[in-house]
Amino acid sequence: MKYNRIYLKNSLFLHFIFTFMTSIQTQDYAIHFNENCYTNLNQQIEKKNYTSIFILTDSNTNKFCATQLLSQIETETRIEVLEIEPGEQLKNLETCASLWNALSELGADRKSLMINLGGGVVTDLGGFVACCYQRGIDFINMPTTLLSIVDASIGGKNGVDLGALKNQIGIIKTPTMVLIDISFLGSLPQRDMRSGLAEMIKHGLINNPKHYKDLQDLSKLTLEDLDRLIFDSILVKKEIVEQDPTEQNLRKTLNFGHTLGHAIESYYLNHPEKALLHGEAIAIGMILESYLSHKILGLDTESLNEIKSLLTKTFGHPKIETSDFENIIELMKHDKKNENGVIKFVFLEKIGNSKINQEASKELIINSFEFYNN
Amino acid sequence: MKYNRIYLKNSLFLHFIFTFMTSIQTQDYAIHFNENCYTNLNQQIEKKNYTSIFILTDSNTNKFCATQLLSQIETETRIEVLEIEPGEQLKNLETCASLWNALSELGADRKSLMINLGGGVVTDLGGFVACCYQRGIDFINMPTTLLSIVDASIGGKNGVDLGALKNQIGIIKTPTMVLIDISFLGSLPQRDMRSGLAEMIKHGLINNPKHYKDLQDLSKLTLEDLDRLIFDSILVKKEIVEQDPTEQNLRKTLNFGHTLGHAIESYYLNHPEKALLHGEAIAIGMILESYLSHKILGLDTESLNEIKSLLTKTFGHPKIETSDFENIIELMKHDKKNENGVIKFVFLEKIGNSKINQEASKELIINSFEFYNN
C-alpha cells in the first residue's frame, strides 16, 4: 500500500483518514485497527478452521484486555488462555519451555492458532514459541502497549533473552496478522505510554523529520492525533523494513539509540532498583548516540541539544554512575550488530538522515555518558 | 536438476555417473559429494568472509571425521570445535541453551558459520541452534551416518525433542549447503549402517518400486552400488519435498512407518535396555503400518509378507511386549501429524504407492503388533 500523508482537517478528509486507518497491508500480512481487527480475526478463525486457539497473555494484560478480546471472538473452537507473569525477566528459554510443555499437554496441534496479547515481551516470546512449536503454528500478535504497537507490529522479529543479552535467541517470521485496538492504551500507565514514544521519536530521527516534528510537543496532542501518529510511525517502519527485509543496510538504521540503549537496559535489568523500561533506556541511548553523531558525523549542535532536551523532558533524566560506564560498554561487546568484535552504531548526519556501520572510540563513548549526565 | 537413471556398467557410463554424483542442486541449496564437498566448502568460506567458524560434533564423530574435515578447510578464520555427548537423550533444549551460551561466550556474531558434523542428532540440533542464534546464522550440514545422509540432507527440518516427544520443537529452514563424504561411512558400525537403510527402503516403498527392488538383496551390494543407491535415495526425497515443501500432502508420505515407529522409538528411549536406533524403530513401524495398509487399503498379502521378511532380515526382529502396546499407542496421541486428536497414518495401496491422512482403530493397531511379533 502506498501511503499519502493527509493533514487537512475538514470532515471529508477526516473520514478518509478514518477509513484509511482500518488496515495497513505489508508484503506478508495485514495490520488491522480497532473494530476492524475483530472482524478480520473472526474471518481468519472461520477460514482456517483451527482445531484450538491459545491466547498468551500476562497477568497485567489479562486484567484489562483479555476480557475484551474473548468477548469479541465468535467461534465454537476451544479457547485456552495461557497467562505468564509480566516483565522482561521472564522473557527467556525457561518460559518458552514451560509454554511448549503446556501446549503439548493441552493437545495443541499444527492446526492450532496462538494469539499473543500483551506488550513486547508477550509478542516477542509468544511469536517465538509459536514459530518453533511442532515446527511452526499460525500466530496473531495483538500488541497492547504503545511500544509494542509501534515497534513489534512490523518486522517479524521474535525471540527471547539469553541471560543479560537481549533477544539473543530468536528467528524472523511474520505473524498471520497483527491486531491493534487503540482503546487498550487507555489502561496503560503513563510511564508505559511515554516509553512507546521513544520508538516513534526514533522513527522520525532516522528517517522522517516531519514525524519527528509532529512529536515535539506532546502536551498539546489529542487522542485523535495519537491515532494518526501511531499510524504514521508504523508506516515509517514498514517502509524501511520492506526495502531491506533481511537487515543488510537500511533496516539497520532502526538500531539508532539501541547499541548503547540495549546495553543500558540489560545492565539495569540486573539492578532492579534502577530498572528502566525499554523506551526509557532507548531514549538515553539516543542522546548518547546523538552526541557521538555530533562528534563523528557532524550532527549540528542545535539538533543535538534539541534532541537531548526533548528526550529528557519526555523520559526523565536518571543519571548514569561513573562506576557503571565500564560495565555498560562491556555488555555492548555482545551486541548482535557487531562484526569481528567491533561495536557498530547507527549515527545521524542530520535529523531524518542516518548512517549505519559507524564506530566510536571508548573515550568518546565515555564522553557521551558525561554529556548525558550534565 | 533432472536426474536420469543410468545403469549400464561400461567404463564411459561409470565415469559419467561419477561426475554426475558430485552435486545435487535443490531449490535453495546444493548437496556436494566426496572431494567436491571440500572444494565447495572452501569457496563458500572465502566468498562469505565469515568472522569465525564453529564446528559442532559429538565425541563419537569427532574421533573419526573432525580431523578429516579440519585438514581440508583452508582459511585463516578462527575455527572452534564444539563437542557434545552423543545420543538422542541430549537432543533437547538444555543442550541448545548450553550451545547458545557457548557461542555467545566465544564471541560468535551474525557473520559466523556453523558446520554441523555428525548424525541426525547433531544436524537436527545444530541446525536449530544456528537458526535461532542472533535470529539466524549460516549453517552447513555434514551428515556422517547413512541415516542422516539419506534423511536429513533434504527437507530443512531442524529441531529437538521435548521430553519423550520427538522433534516437538523446531523450525523448517534449509542449510547453506550439505556436504557428504561417503568415506565417513567406513567408520560407522554395521548396526548404524543398517539403520540408515530403513529410510532408503521407505523411499522405495512410498514412491519408487525400482529403488525398493534395488535394495532387496543387500548382501550382494558393492561399495559403488551403495554410492549410487544413496544418490538415488536422496533424489527420491528431493523430488517429493520440492513438490510439496510445506507438507500439505505428498511430503506427508515420508511419514510412512513413522507414526508407530516414532512412538516405539520414544517409548524405548526411556527403557535403555531395549533402546532402538531410529532406523530400527522405523523398520518395525513400517511392518506394522504395512499390516494396517493390508487391512485398510488392500495392500496384497504377498507384498506384506515380502516387506516383513526383508525388514526383519535386515533389522532383526525384537519382540514388543504385550504390556507395552498401550503405552506406545498412548504416545502416538502427541504425533505432530494428528489433527483434532485423531491419529493420522500413511498407508500403502501397493509398493511404490502411498496414501496420506489414514486412520486405524485401536483394535487393528493391536492386531498389527501381534502380526509383527509372530
Side-chain angles (χ1 to χ4, degrees):
Chain A
M1 191 184 84
K2 190 76 195 121
Y3 172 66
N4 304 297
R5 280 192 184 71
I6 300 157
Y7 295 124
L8 290 172
K9 292 211 172 187
N10 68 42
S11 61
L12 182 71
F13 275 96
L14 267 179
H15 176 71
F16 182 52
I17 291 171
F18 180 78
T19 315
F20 209 63
M21 280 185 59
T22 52
S23 298
I24 291 176
Q25 184 63 47
T26 77
Q27 280 161 345
D28 301 319
Y29 64 97
I31 303 170
H32 301 293
F33 289 80
N34 301 329
E35 57 264 52
N36 200 31
C37 77
Y38 300 108
T39 321
N40 280 278
L41 173 61
N42 284 318
Q43 283 168 357
Q44 174 72 16
I45 291 171
E46 196 185 340
K47 187 181 79 179
K48 289 294 284 281
N49 195 23
Y50 293 110
T51 52
S52 48
I53 298 170
F54 293 85
I55 299 176
L56 177 70
T57 189
D58 63 34
S59 46
N60 279 350
T61 309
N62 200 3
K63 216 163 17 185
F64 301 108
C65 310
T67 318
Q68 160 75 353
L69 172 59
L70 283 166
S71 75
Q72 294 285 337
I73 299 180
E74 293 160 5
T75 182
E76 293 301 309
T77 305
R78 174 173 65 114
I79 300 177
E80 304 274 358
V81 178
L82 304 171
E83 191 180 293
I84 56 175
E85 288 300 302
E88 181 84 24
Q89 289 84 343
L90 288 174
K91 188 180 162 184
N92 58 34
L93 286 166
E94 290 70 39
T95 308
C96 292
S98 308
L99 287 168
W100 284 320
N101 278 309
L103 288 170
S104 191
E105 278 158 27
L106 291 166
D109 63 25
R110 284 184 178 163
K111 290 208 164 181
S112 296
L113 169 70
M114 189 148 162
I115 302 175
N116 301 309
L117 175 76
V121 171
V122 169
T123 57
D124 280 14
L125 181 140
F128 183 63
V129 165
C131 288
C132 297
Y133 184 73
Q134 298 196 348
R135 299 202 193 91
I137 61 173
D138 276 5
F139 68 101
I140 289 174
N141 283 346
M142 192 162 195
T144 58
T145 64
L146 184 56
L147 175 59
S148 58
I149 286 173
V150 295
D151 192 29
S153 294
I154 294 275
K157 286 186 177 177
N158 309 293
V160 294
D161 304 337
L162 186 70
L165 303 175
K166 279 184 59 74
N167 302 317
Q168 194 77 348
I169 306 305
I171 60 169
I172 295 195
K173 191 175 169 189
T174 53
T176 303
M177 58 174 65
V178 170
L179 309 176
I180 296 173
D181 185 338
I182 302 280
S183 76
F184 286 173
L185 294 180
S187 67
L188 207 64
Q190 194 61 24
R191 189 174 169 217
D192 288 276
M193 279 295 274
R194 282 207 317 264
S195 184
L197 287 169
E199 293 293 331
M200 298 172 74
I201 291 169
K202 182 195 76 181
H203 291 163
L205 282 173
I206 58 170
N207 198 269
N208 195 314
K210 175 78 179 72
H211 189 50
Y212 173 70
K213 198 158 169 284
D214 287 346
L215 294 161
Q216 283 295 309
D217 200 347
L218 299 164
S219 60
K220 289 184 193 151
L221 285 183
T222 67
L223 207 62
E224 266 168 24
D225 289 329
L226 185 64
D227 253 33
R228 177 179 58 77
L229 287 168
I230 289 171
F231 196 79
D232 281 1
S233 215
I234 292 176
L235 280 172
V236 172
K237 182 161 183 186
K238 166 185 136 69
E239 279 168 24
I240 291 172
V241 170
E242 287 191 347
Q243 282 176 69
D244 174 29
T246 58
E247 202 160 348
Q248 300 304 305
N249 38 66
L250 188 64
R251 185 168 177 176
K252 287 187 183 169
T253 61
L254 289 164
N255 290 313
F256 174 65
H258 281 61
T259 307
L260 276 153
H262 264 167
I264 291 169
E265 186 182 6
S266 294
Y267 183 66
Y268 290 128
L269 202 61
N270 289 327
H271 299 77
E273 74 288 358
K274 297 183 193 171
L276 296 170
L277 294 177
H278 175 75
E280 292 168 340
I282 297 310
I284 300 174
M286 287 195 285
I287 296 171
L288 300 172
E289 294 180 18
S290 294
Y291 175 84
L292 298 173
S293 303
H294 170 66
K295 290 291 178 190
I296 289 167
L297 292 186
L299 174 72
D300 64 282
T301 313
E302 194 188 338
S303 297
L304 172 63
N305 291 328
E306 189 189 280
I307 292 168
K308 184 179 175 185
S309 157
L310 170 67
L311 291 172
T312 52
K313 191 177 71 188
T314 314
F315 300 96
H317 197 170
K319 297 289 185 292
I320 298 174
E321 303 290 330
T322 312
S323 55
D324 293 339
F325 292 178
E326 284 286 344
N327 296 321
I328 292 167
I329 292 170
E330 186 61 29
L331 274 176
M332 283 197 295
K333 292 187 179 154
H334 296 278
D335 194 276
K336 292 189 291 300
K337 295 177 289 301
N338 297 349
E339 278 178 28
N340 256 328
V342 179
I343 299 165
K344 298 285 184 183
F345 293 90
V346 177
F347 290 151
L348 304 176
E349 287 182 300
K350 57 180 187 175
I351 287 170
N353 213 327
S354 50
K355 227 174 149 179
I356 63 168
N357 293 335
Q358 300 297 302
E359 296 170 19
S361 69
K362 191 172 166 182
E363 191 191 347
L364 219 50
I365 296 171
I366 289 173
N367 292 348
S368 75
F369 283 119
E370 285 156 357
F371 167 79
Y372 167 78
N373 276 341
N374 295 325
Chain B
M1 191 184 85
K2 191 76 195 125
Y3 172 64
N4 304 298
R5 278 192 185 72
I6 300 157
Y7 295 121
L8 289 173
K9 290 210 172 187
N10 67 45
S11 61
L12 181 72
F13 274 96
L14 267 180
H15 176 73
F16 182 53
I17 291 171
F18 180 78
T19 316
F20 207 63
M21 277 183 62
T22 53
S23 297
I24 292 174
Q25 184 62 49
T26 76
Q27 280 161 346
D28 303 318
Y29 64 98
I31 304 170
H32 301 294
F33 290 80
N34 301 330
E35 57 263 53
N36 199 33
C37 77
Y38 299 108
T39 321
N40 279 277
L41 173 61
N42 283 319
Q43 283 169 357
Q44 174 72 14
I45 291 170
E46 196 185 339
K47 187 181 80 181
K48 289 293 284 280
N49 195 22
Y50 292 110
T51 53
S52 47
I53 298 170
F54 294 85
I55 299 176
L56 177 69
T57 189
D58 63 34
S59 45
N60 278 349
T61 309
N62 200 1
K63 219 167 8 187
F64 302 108
C65 310
T67 317
Q68 159 76 350
L69 171 60
L70 283 165
S71 75
Q72 295 284 338
I73 300 180
E74 292 159 7
T75 182
E76 293 301 308
T77 306
R78 174 173 64 116
I79 300 177
E80 304 274 359
V81 178
L82 305 171
E83 190 180 292
I84 57 174
E85 288 299 303
E88 181 84 24
Q89 289 85 343
L90 288 173
K91 188 179 162 185
N92 57 35
L93 286 165
E94 289 71 37
T95 308
C96 292
S98 307
L99 287 168
W100 284 321
N101 279 309
L103 288 170
S104 190
E105 279 159 27
L106 291 166
D109 64 24
R110 282 182 180 165
K111 289 206 165 183
S112 297
L113 169 69
M114 189 150 162
I115 301 176
N116 301 309
L117 176 75
V121 170
V122 169
T123 56
D124 280 14
L125 181 141
F128 183 63
V129 166
C131 288
C132 297
Y133 184 73
Q134 298 197 349
R135 299 200 193 94
I137 60 174
D138 277 4
F139 69 101
I140 289 175
N141 284 345
M142 191 162 194
T144 58
T145 63
L146 184 56
L147 175 60
S148 58
I149 286 173
V150 295
D151 192 28
S153 294
I154 294 278
K157 287 185 176 176
N158 308 293
V160 293
D161 304 337
L162 187 70
L165 303 176
K166 279 184 62 69
N167 302 316
Q168 194 77 349
I169 305 307
I171 60 168
I172 294 195
K173 191 174 170 192
T174 54
T176 303
M177 59 174 64
V178 170
L179 309 177
I180 296 173
D181 185 339
I182 301 281
S183 77
F184 286 174
L185 294 180
S187 67
L188 207 65
Q190 194 61 24
R191 189 174 170 216
D192 288 275
M193 279 294 277
R194 281 207 317 263
S195 183
L197 287 170
E199 292 294 330
M200 298 171 75
I201 292 170
K202 182 195 76 181
H203 291 163
L205 282 173
I206 59 171
N207 199 268
N208 194 314
K210 175 75 178 70
H211 188 49
Y212 172 68
K213 199 157 167 284
D214 287 345
L215 294 162
Q216 283 293 309
D217 199 348
L218 300 165
S219 59
K220 290 185 194 150
L221 285 183
T222 67
L223 207 64
E224 267 167 22
D225 289 330
L226 185 64
D227 254 33
R228 176 178 59 76
L229 287 168
I230 288 171
F231 197 80
D232 281 2
S233 214
I234 292 176
L235 280 171
V236 172
K237 182 161 183 187
K238 166 185 136 70
E239 279 168 23
I240 290 171
V241 169
E242 288 191 347
Q243 284 177 66
D244 175 29
T246 58
E247 202 162 346
Q248 301 304 305
N249 37 64
L250 188 63
R251 185 168 177 176
K252 287 187 183 171
T253 61
L254 289 163
N255 290 313
F256 174 64
H258 282 61
T259 307
L260 275 153
H262 264 167
I264 290 168
E265 187 183 3
S266 294
Y267 183 66
Y268 289 128
L269 201 61
N270 289 328
H271 299 76
E273 74 288 357
K274 296 185 195 169
L276 296 170
L277 293 177
H278 176 74
E280 293 169 340
I282 297 311
I284 300 173
M286 286 196 284
I287 296 171
L288 301 172
E289 294 181 17
S290 293
Y291 175 85
L292 298 173
S293 302
H294 169 66
K295 290 292 178 189
I296 289 167
L297 291 186
L299 174 70
D300 64 282
T301 313
E302 194 190 340
S303 298
L304 172 63
N305 291 329
E306 187 189 281
I307 292 168
K308 184 179 174 186
S309 158
L310 170 68
L311 292 172
T312 52
K313 191 177 71 189
T314 314
F315 299 94
H317 197 168
K319 296 290 186 292
I320 299 173
E321 303 289 329
T322 311
S323 55
D324 293 339
F325 293 178
E326 283 286 343
N327 297 320
I328 292 168
I329 292 169
E330 186 60 31
L331 274 176
M332 285 197 294
K333 291 185 180 156
H334 296 278
D335 193 278
K336 292 191 291 299
K337 295 177 291 299
N338 296 348
E339 277 178 28
N340 256 327
V342 179
I343 299 165
K344 297 286 182 183
F345 294 90
V346 177
F347 291 151
L348 303 176
E349 287 182 301
K350 56 180 186 175
I351 287 170
N353 213 328
S354 50
K355 227 173 150 180
I356 62 168
N357 292 335
Q358 300 297 303
E359 296 171 18
S361 69
K362 189 172 168 183
E363 190 190 348
L364 219 47
I365 295 171
I366 289 172
N367 292 348
S368 76
F369 283 119
E370 285 157 356
F371 167 78
Y372 167 78
N373 276 340
N374 295 326

